[in-house]
Amino acid sequence: MNKIFKVQIEAKTDFHTSKALKGSIIEAMVFGQKDGKYKAVIPGTSIKGLIRWEFERLWFGAHNVESCKITKKYKHGEIREICKKTRDKLNGNCPICDIFGEPNIEGGVEYKHTNLRVLDFEAEIENLSLRSRNAINRDTGETNVFSVQVVPAGTKFEGKIILTNCKDEWVSYIKNSLKSALNFGIGGSRSSGLGEFELLKFDEDTAFFRLPNVMVEKGNSEEIPVISGWKIITGKITTRTPAHFGVGKGMGTFHPTLKYIPGQQLRGMFGFYLKKILCEENLYEALSMAPSEERVEGDLGVIFKNALPYGQQFSALDTFACKKCGNTLKSGNEECAKCHMGGSKKNAGLKEVSTFILTKNPYPRDYSLDKDNNPDKLGPYHIEVIKEGQEFSFKCLARIDESMMPDFVKCLANAGIYAGVGGFKGRGCGVIEFSDLKVEEAADYVHKRELELKNIAKDKSLKMVVNSPMVFPAYDHEKNASDREQNNISLEANTLEWAFSYDKRTLKLNKDAVKFKLPLNLPKTKPLALGETKFGHWSLRKKDWLDRIEYAIAQGSAANVVLAGDDFERAAIFELFGLGKYLSMGYGDFYFCEVGQ
């Protein structure tokens, strides 16, 4: 049972939670708005931490069992054993790790993810006040005057609590834990009288989650055997909370985000919801959602494309655009007819989405490590996140029976809310909403795209532009080759001829697919543009650690493709499904455009 609760709390005294130190003033976590008012924020992690702290006290007290004491001096390897002993005393009925997840230890197949997600609590206020304080050094007697920015008493905050796999008794414990913790207080300077709150509302919210509108187009075109049964689902994704999509490696204490939603993470979100939250095996197996090592090689059931900012795609690295309006120009020397401005390279970029920085302070579970021997573990870290309300284009392909499509759409929408996508979900990030979904037969799309390609082709030539990292394996590499040498970073003629030929390791659209290729007549010329990128593979079987680094052809790489015949239908099919490895996770996507663009 999954539930969403709308919670309202009121500050009974002035309240402060720190955002930054400016001079002698400690700023509160508030953000200015265009109308001159402020938005005050209580991080969801602060609320969640208080709930857990009080939940443990209430639960273990009610059952007369000593707490597992995970917040004391235990090393990571000892925590699981301590938890097991506590569960044995309660006949396995200990909800702490089931609700909150296992505390700050290595992940893996048996790792328990959190079933409780607390979104940030927000309030709109018109003014702030300052409280002056005097810090006294008890050893020297020296004093230091400073001021604390506070949110006034009487401010009402609202937030959401999302529960998955929820049991009825959990709800009452969570509500009572929050109520009790609020009396203790939130934020800083509680010993000086700040931060007392009262719980006003704790009601189930049925309006937060809405099933998307779905338009299903009936198939009108002649069936294409090789893509029989495939459907295309397109629509819009909107971030309902801040969202973070990691680039694979942080920069010190800073974690930058990608400016789009990787198909790999959308697939993981959907699979996690089906397998771990809904426990729906039929749809999970019908879509071949199992990890690649557990399914037939190349057997695809669903393909999630990267969700780029709404209405956008990567431009070719060799193209030029007006510096002012962005219109494509034939060269850097050409003047834009609209703005009369010169051009510069587009550099394959996307329009920037709005982001901001979240600063978090970890509450370490392993106190045997102190600041002297592990400063990075205990210090604050900074997360770049995409703002709430940003829109992205959604596209996926599914080989699914029509009778299962309603369940597919419902599970997809639920996964965006209850499973979430991206990193730091336990810290309130990653809630997304699907809308304006359209379902159409792949054959209908291919026939429409076939006509478009015929109209833009010049002497059977098309320009191919890479729209997501593209991986071509180098099958002739040596056993001890480096990660870089195991893949072919090339768009040369022989590479493209191989890529557009049927191969069980690259393209298997259905179990009965016949030999499928797109004959090319390519000149032995270099690609128009070629870039290199890399990404990380993360493995649950390796305890959520980085499995390997994969090198790939970068977005914006481009080459001219010359068809040997008039088979624009097959060109449209390859464009739809992609080229190379990891198609189900959004890699290998590309598009055709007119030569010279």
Side-chain angles (χ1 to χ4, degrees):
M1 180 172 58
N2 304 321
K3 291 186 175 183
I4 302 172
F5 294 93
K6 183 177 181 179
V7 182
Q8 186 182 64
I9 60 177
E10 181 181 6
K12 307 306 291 184
T13 63
D14 290 348
F15 160 75
H16 170 84
T17 184
S18 300
K19 182 177 73 172
L21 174 64
K22 289 192 175 180
S24 61
I25 298 177
I26 304 176
E27 288 189 333
M29 190 167 286
V30 296
F31 303 91
Q33 299 185 145
K34 292 181 179 179
D35 57 3
K37 296 181 180 180
Y38 299 94
K39 181 176 75 172
V41 177
I42 304 176
T45 47
S46 298
I47 302 291
K48 183 181 176 183
L50 287 170
I51 292 175
R52 176 168 188 149
W53 172 72
E54 192 65 10
F55 194 111
E56 290 184 359
R57 187 184 70 82
L58 294 176
W59 174 265
F60 290 119
H63 292 78
N64 196 27
V65 175
E66 185 180 5
S67 167
C68 52
K69 296 178 181 176
I70 58 169
T71 57
K72 290 196 173 182
K73 281 190 177 182
Y74 291 117
K75 295 181 179 180
H76 289 174
E78 298 173 341
I79 294 175
R80 194 184 295 274
E81 186 62 29
I82 296 165
C83 183
K84 183 178 180 299
K85 291 179 180 179
T86 303
R87 281 182 173 273
D88 289 343
K89 294 176 184 177
L90 294 167
N91 297 319
N93 186 30
C94 176
I96 304 301
C97 291
D98 291 339
I99 296 176
F100 299 96
E102 288 183 305
N104 198 24
I105 63 174
E106 292 179 352
V109 175
E110 298 179 356
Y111 180 79
K112 291 184 182 297
H113 294 264
T114 180
N115 282 309
L116 173 72
R117 296 164 65 205
V118 182
L119 309 187
D120 290 347
F121 280 51
E122 299 178 352
E124 191 175 83
I125 58 177
E126 295 185 353
N127 53 67
L128 296 164
S129 58
L130 290 175
R131 279 200 176 193
S132 296
R133 307 292 302 278
N134 207 356
I136 301 174
N137 187 321
R138 301 299 180 185
D139 295 328
T140 65
E142 294 180 354
T143 61
N144 182 23
V145 178
F146 65 97
S147 298
V148 177
Q149 200 175 49
V150 295
V151 175
T155 303
K156 296 179 180 179
F157 289 81
E158 287 192 355
K160 309 287 183 185
I161 293 178
I162 300 175
L163 271 171
T164 55
N165 297 321
C166 173
K167 298 178 182 178
D168 289 337
E169 63 175 334
W170 291 5
V171 177
S172 60
Y173 268 99
I174 290 171
K175 180 178 179 179
N176 291 331
S177 298
L178 177 59
K179 187 175 182 179
S180 177
L182 291 175
N183 291 331
F184 176 76
I186 305 174
S189 301
R190 285 174 292 189
S191 61
S192 303
L194 298 185
E196 182 185 351
F197 277 80
E198 180 184 1
L199 179 63
L200 300 181
K201 293 181 181 178
F202 193 95
D203 303 324
E204 189 169 354
D205 189 350
T206 57
F208 182 74
F209 170 68
R210 301 180 297 272
L211 282 174
N213 296 324
V214 182
M215 182 175 68
V216 180
E217 294 189 352
K218 297 294 182 182
N220 299 316
S221 302
E222 183 180 347
E223 187 176 280
I224 302 175
V226 74
I227 57 174
S228 176
W230 282 91
K231 295 175 177 58
I232 305 173
I233 302 96
T234 56
K236 183 190 295 182
I237 293 175
T238 305
T239 54
R240 295 291 300 272
T241 65
H244 172 88
F245 308 105
V247 299
K249 186 178 181 180
M251 300 163 58
T253 59
F254 177 65
H255 301 269
T257 183
L258 296 170
K259 304 307 187 292
Y260 60 88
I261 307 176
Q264 181 177 14
Q265 297 196 27
L266 289 171
R267 181 184 174 88
M269 170 199 76
F270 188 60
F272 178 78
Y273 176 78
L274 291 179
K275 188 74 172 179
K276 298 293 186 180
I277 297 179
L278 191 62
C279 302
E280 169 55 66
E281 295 289 342
N282 292 334
L283 191 56
Y284 185 85
E285 293 176 0
L287 294 170
S288 301
M289 292 295 297
S292 56
E293 61 268 20
E294 297 179 11
R295 66 175 189 266
V296 178
E297 188 175 17
D299 187 17
L300 305 179
V302 62
I303 297 173
F304 286 91
K305 301 288 188 178
N306 288 353
L308 304 182
Y310 194 68
Q312 295 187 48
Q313 58 189 6
F314 281 94
S315 56
L317 287 166
D318 69 320
T319 56
F320 292 82
C322 171
K323 296 177 181 178
K324 185 175 181 181
C325 69
N327 286 337
T328 301
L329 306 177
K330 292 182 179 179
S331 71
N333 297 322
E334 182 184 2
E335 187 179 85
C336 177
K338 179 181 177 181
C339 304
H340 305 290
M341 293 281 290
S344 61
K345 281 195 175 182
K346 278 191 173 180
N347 199 28
L350 299 172
K351 291 180 181 178
E352 286 293 314
V353 296
S354 297
T355 63
F356 65 99
I357 307 298
L358 282 177
T359 298
K360 299 290 185 181
N361 236 328
Y363 187 72
R365 303 298 183 181
D366 186 355
Y367 278 95
S368 62
L369 299 173
D370 56 31
K371 289 186 177 181
D372 293 328
N373 58 32
N374 199 344
D376 292 336
K377 192 176 188 66
L378 300 182
Y381 57 95
H382 314 281
I383 312 163
E384 183 185 23
V385 292
I386 296 171
K387 285 185 177 180
E388 178 183 351
Q390 301 299 297
E391 296 180 342
F392 299 85
S393 297
F394 172 70
K395 183 178 182 180
C396 81
L397 294 85
R399 189 179 61 213
I400 186 173
D401 188 81
E402 285 187 9
S403 62
M404 301 183 76
M405 184 55 69
D407 288 339
F408 177 88
V409 171
K410 183 178 179 180
C411 290
L412 183 67
N414 274 282
I417 300 294
Y418 294 111
V421 65
F424 303 101
K425 293 188 290 290
R427 293 159 174 79
C429 294
V431 176
I432 60 174
E433 180 179 68
F434 293 86
S435 60
D436 302 331
L437 295 183
K438 184 177 78 170
V439 182
E440 65 177 320
E441 295 290 339
D444 288 346
Y445 173 88
V446 166
H447 285 309
K448 286 186 289 187
R449 186 59 176 158
E450 177 187 2
L451 295 176
E452 293 173 355
L453 294 180
K454 284 182 179 179
N455 291 331
I456 65 174
K458 295 179 179 180
D459 298 325
K460 303 178 184 179
S461 295
L462 294 164
K463 183 176 180 179
M464 167 189 168
V465 182
V466 177
N467 206 34
S468 71
M470 185 175 285
V471 182
F472 294 151
Y475 291 116
D476 56 349
H477 67 77
E478 299 178 359
K479 288 185 178 180
N480 297 324
S482 65
D483 290 335
R484 170 64 181 80
E485 294 169 333
Q486 292 182 25
N487 290 332
N488 187 5
I489 312 300
S490 169
L491 288 177
E492 304 285 350
N494 57 346
T495 303
L496 290 177
E497 287 170 350
W498 168 85
F500 282 104
S501 299
Y502 172 82
D503 189 289
K504 70 176 183 178
R505 291 161 292 194
T506 57
L507 191 64
K508 189 174 182 182
L509 303 183
N510 61 48
K511 295 179 180 178
D512 302 318
V514 296
K515 188 173 183 180
F516 184 71
K517 65 180 181 179
L518 181 66
L520 302 177
N521 184 18
L522 296 177
K524 304 300 180 181
T525 56
K526 293 184 177 181
L528 302 172
L530 181 66
E532 181 178 310
T533 187
K534 58 184 178 181
F535 58 91
H537 279 283
W538 300 82
S539 173
L540 278 177
R541 297 184 178 280
K542 292 192 176 182
K543 298 185 176 182
D544 268 345
W545 289 103
L546 185 67
D547 186 2
R548 66 186 184 280
I549 296 294
E550 198 84 49
Y551 286 79
I553 299 168
Q555 300 98 319
S557 299
N560 285 338
V561 173
V562 184
L563 305 187
D566 292 325
D567 200 346
F568 290 95
E569 178 186 282
R570 294 197 176 204
I573 291 174
F574 273 105
E575 183 190 53
L576 178 61
F577 286 90
L579 291 173
K581 297 173 68 177
Y582 315 121
L583 298 184
S584 64
M585 298 183 291
Y587 297 104
D589 192 33
F590 72 97
Y591 64 89
F592 289 120
C593 62
E594 186 177 347
V595 172
Q597 281 195 355

